Amino acid sequence: MTKRNKSTFLLLGLLALLALYYSRILFTDKIIRAPDIINEAYWWMKGYNDKALSDLYSSNLKASWDYLINSGYTNEGGMSSMQFLLHLPLILHVIPAPASVAWFIVLHLFFGAVGTFYCCRVVGTSRLAAFSGGLIFALAPEIATLINAGHVMKIATIAYAPWAFYFLERGFQSRRIIFFLTTAFVLAFQFFNTHWQIAFYTCLCVGAYGLFRLIGVAIAAKKGKRELPKLLALNMALLLFFLTTVSISLLPLANWSKDTNRGIESGASQPAGGIKGGLDVEEAMSWSLPPEELGALVIPGLFGLSRQEAGPNPDNIPSYYWGRMHFTQTASYMGLLPWLLLPLPLLFRRDRYTWLSLGGIVGGILFSMGKYTPFYWLLYKFFPGINHFRVPKMMMFIPVLGLAILAARGIDLLSDEDVRRAKAFSRYLIGVCALPVLLLVLLGIEAGGASYWVNTFAELLAQPTRYEQGAYLVGQRWGNIVSETAIAAVLSVIIAVVFLLLKKPRLVQIVPYLLLLLFVADTWRINDKFLFLTTAPVKVKEGEPPPLIKFLTTVSNAYRVLPMDGSDPMQYASQHIPVMYASNPVQQVRWQQFLDVFSVAGAMPDIVNVKYLIMPNADYQTQKSALGEKFAPVFTQPGGATVVLENRNVLPKAWLVPSVAVVNDPAQRLAILQNPAFNPRTVAMVENAPPFAMADPDRAQVLSTGSVTVTQYEGERITLTAFAPVNALLTLGEKYYKGWEATVDGKAAKIVPVNHILRGVYLTPGTHKVEFRFDPLPFKIGKYLTLASFALFAGMLVREWRVRRGHVDEG
């Protein structure tokens, strides 16, 4: 069997093992019970399943404007790059839904495991050891329990990280540009998977890896000094090629993010000398890993385990997570075995790969601890981009990768006879055996002094969570701590016994296999608590919508609905019913400000074309007098639980305003919008003086306002015909956004912000044809840069193929 065939055989075995391990979610007609999957991912993924094979790869590279959600939403085409993920529609089409969702996740875990396998191989491990590294990456609960959270694209994005490090190391070893360009290409495709925080963190770590490798070359022998300029040039080529390849996403997203509540113009208060914009301190450092939870790396359920976000905890989770993070749907555990193998390379193979991997583990954990360490504070204050993301703990996929590589090196060292004979190895075995002793002592202390510890920490143990409160939590949590400590102690005893088999020469060969079997069992105990299924949601058959949906679909799409009954707005948007608001942690600043003070009493719902409110009938009866005559019931859902109210003051899609008032203060504009006395039909708030004289506000009510007819209303194009008897401001009931362009009678016109969130153009008296088009420049530039990079990379691959073919022919 050739070397390549041996690797292929092992990787096929790894795939089979993963299929068996995750069989519960793979071989079923049910779906993973996670809200993000049930409400969102399942529907767009199922769409590929329903398409004809010939329709899977239709190209549509454009910046879109979705008029159905959030009164108009865009990321300027930043997600159009998903069309380059050619495997995605194929997987989701070939494998029937709903199992296609789970297969998509597990195949990406396998993809990341293969990348880890080759990372291990490139640093010199055996195939069996590399197999172990890949297994650790794919099964470690820190990554695997993301399945429970429904973070489908996060897992897909993480899977690319090992490949980036693999190709970068190949580049440093070979000094060949093709590997540096491939690293950039992998990073770009990781970015295309749309989880930009994971992609940003990977880029940070790849940059740090390259920097430390360059420093190592610089301080090495004379040969290294001669090669340093070349390596610097190759790394610069990597950076430039990455930026051009990812431009189709990076340029529009960078432009889009400036105006969001995480952007540089968000106005978030930063420490003196820091970077303007981004998230404020408290939000940016949400989900920092508390230092005491490092104990959960050895005792996984120390602070409980949870999947509450996806439903109540199952019976095999006795205690819901009660640590200091807001909540968590995942587990930080990585398995006990990798930590026990980690000291081996530190003792016997202290080369650059050991130190770099250790740096990834330590640096990643410190980063994940966020606000609890000065390390993250400094990055947050001075390093560009860090303050635009929350959840520092999301960096933990890097420690998993570093631990997998060091554990793989440890597996190899176990098979080295010279290592086993060394005195240091005997001391290492003593350390392995010391862990169960320490855990058993800890268990004895917990059990023997239970009443003392419970009384001492009663206040801490009784802390309520988002879902639980009451005195019973003290006993529940203490009992869970004791049982989890006992399980960890028993596991460590078994692992120690297996390690001691290394003293028997005849059993040395089976030890790695026994250890891997224990790792699989150990991680299964945790992951099993997070792999739960439910019946797949069923979409209403076409032509048979529920009565409420049926009623709303008869309304013109010029008007919006506002669910106020807690129902998911996306169920309406999926039926092509525009909704005013859909939940999203990243919103345009103006829109977020509008939402923060939104009131149905004033003109706010009128100007954004909200014609229908969906309310619980009981709430309507309570608020009926406050709502007054502005809102009237027009539909009651069968059973009477929900009522639809019609807004009688709703404005049309576009209208002409004869007078404007310059109001520069955003807070003042929002206060005026809340005032029921404000009439947006006659006066509009603008932020700069108009280009020509407008009517006095006192006379505006007696002036004729003319008429506006919407002739075309699409996502990226709106055309209107307007008759203005006097100078007027054409106001459109759509968001103001910099990516829109306007023409009046074929000539470019300036779009101005109106009433804080809307857009409009000034018109002189007469009849005019007005057109709004969404065609942002950053996307157009980015698209052509990306396509040019693809062409260059394809040329480099052809060149590489010819070079290798030439070497084969010469041989």
Side-chain angles (χ1 to χ4, degrees), residues 202-241:
T202 304
C203 288
L204 285 181
C205 295
V206 166
Y209 186 95
L211 178 63
F212 284 116
R213 283 290 271 121
L214 285 171
I215 292 172
V217 171
I219 62 177
K222 295 180 180 179
K223 179 181 177 181
K225 295 180 181 178
R226 292 196 302 269
E227 293 189 349
L228 185 60
K230 180 180 179 180
L231 281 171
L232 283 170
L234 289 171
N235 278 275
M236 287 303 300
L238 185 162
L239 175 61
L240 292 174
F241 189 64

Side-chain angles (χ1 to χ4, degrees), residues 557-598:
N557 65 1
Y559 294 105
R560 298 187 173 96
V561 303
L562 175 59
M564 300 180 69
D565 61 343
S567 60
D568 181 11
M570 296 306 295
Q571 67 177 310
Y572 304 105
S574 67
Q575 297 294 324
H576 301 284
I577 301 169
V579 292
M580 174 191 144
Y581 171 73
S583 179
N584 193 319
V586 184
Q587 300 278 15
Q588 187 183 5
V589 170
R590 287 174 179 266
W591 181 241
Q592 187 63 60
Q593 292 170 340
F594 182 83
L595 293 175
D596 288 343
V597 298
F598 180 78

Side-chain angles (χ1 to χ4, degrees), residues 354-688:
T354 291
W355 296 125
L356 285 168
S357 298
L358 183 65
I361 296 170
V362 175
I365 290 175
L366 285 175
F367 189 101
S368 297
M369 290 170 70
K371 61 185 177 184
Y372 301 108
T373 68
F375 175 70
Y376 190 83
W377 278 96
L378 290 172
L379 289 173
Y380 169 80
K381 185 175 180 180
F382 295 111
F383 196 91
I386 295 292
N387 65 339
H388 289 212
F389 298 105
R390 58 181 186 173
V391 195
K393 186 181 178 293
M394 210 175 286
M395 180 64 86
M396 286 293 280
F397 71 98
I398 292 296
V400 172
L401 178 59
L403 189 61
I405 293 171
L406 288 184
R409 305 192 93 191
I411 288 288
D412 272 343
L413 289 167
L414 291 179
S415 302
D416 189 319
E417 187 175 350
D418 291 335
V419 167
R420 295 198 307 274
R421 289 177 177 176
K423 290 183 179 180
F425 187 77
S426 297
R427 292 194 292 270
Y428 164 75
L429 288 180
I430 292 173
V432 170
C433 295
L435 178 62
V437 173
L438 291 174
L439 287 172
L440 288 169
V441 169
L442 177 61
L443 180 63
I445 293 173
E446 291 171 354
S451 59
Y452 171 78
W453 299 118
V454 167
N455 290 330
T456 302
F457 297 107
E459 185 176 350
L460 178 63
L461 290 166
Q463 287 293 320
T465 68
R466 293 172 62 182
Y467 308 102
E468 295 179 307
Q469 57 184 351
Y472 75 93
L473 292 174
V474 176
Q476 178 204 85
R477 289 168 177 173
W478 182 255
N480 182 69
I481 290 173
V482 174
S483 63
E484 284 291 322
T485 304
I487 293 170
V490 170
L491 175 66
S492 64
V493 168
I494 297 172
I495 293 176
V497 169
V498 174
F499 269 102
L500 290 176
L501 295 179
L502 292 168
K503 294 293 186 180
K504 305 287 185 180
R506 293 177 300 173
L507 301 177
V508 168
Q509 297 301 318
I510 69 168
V511 167
Y513 298 98
L514 292 175
L515 290 175
L516 289 180
L517 184 62
L518 286 171
F519 172 77
V520 170
D522 178 24
T523 57
W524 170 252
R525 183 182 78 87
I526 302 303
N527 291 335
D528 177 57
K529 302 177 188 297
F530 293 86
L531 301 179
F532 277 80
L533 301 166
T534 189
T535 303
V538 178
K539 197 170 185 178
V540 177
K541 294 181 180 179
E542 192 172 347
E544 300 179 11
L548 177 59
I549 296 291
K550 185 176 181 179
F551 169 77
L552 293 172
T553 53
T554 62
V555 182
S556 167
N557 65 1
Y559 294 105
R560 298 187 173 96
V561 303
L562 175 59
M564 300 180 69
D565 61 343
S567 60
D568 181 11
M570 296 306 295
Q571 67 177 310
Y572 304 105
S574 67
Q575 297 294 324
H576 301 284
I577 301 169
V579 292
M580 174 191 144
Y581 171 73
S583 179
N584 193 319
V586 184
Q587 300 278 15
Q588 187 183 5
V589 170
R590 287 174 179 266
W591 181 241
Q592 187 63 60
Q593 292 170 340
F594 182 83
L595 293 175
D596 288 343
V597 298
F598 180 78
S599 169
V600 297
M604 301 182 93
D606 311 339
I607 65 174
V608 290
N609 307 136
V610 174
K611 190 172 183 178
Y612 295 99
L613 305 182
I614 304 170
M615 294 183 68
N617 205 350
D619 290 354
Y620 169 62
Q621 298 303 327
T622 302
Q623 302 174 32
K624 188 174 182 179
S625 58
L627 292 170
E629 297 182 357
K630 179 177 179 178
F631 295 97
V634 291
F635 178 83
T636 301
Q637 192 171 11
T642 304
V643 63
V644 178
L645 308 178
E646 183 180 74
N647 179 8
R648 294 176 174 176
N649 291 352
V650 67
L651 287 159
K653 178 56 60 183
W655 66 98
L656 293 169
V657 184
S659 180
V660 300
V662 179
V663 183
N664 292 314
D665 182 10
Q668 186 180 357
R669 291 196 298 267
L670 293 167
I672 292 172
L673 286 174
Q674 291 175 288
N675 189 341
F678 173 65
N679 185 357
R681 296 176 182 269
T682 56
V683 180
M685 290 182 288
V686 294
E687 297 165 31
N688 294 288

Side-chain angles (χ1 to χ4, degrees), residues 655-658 703-708 722-726 728 766:
W655 66 98
L656 293 169
V657 184
L703 292 175
S704 172
T705 56
S707 62
V708 181
F723 169 69
V726 296

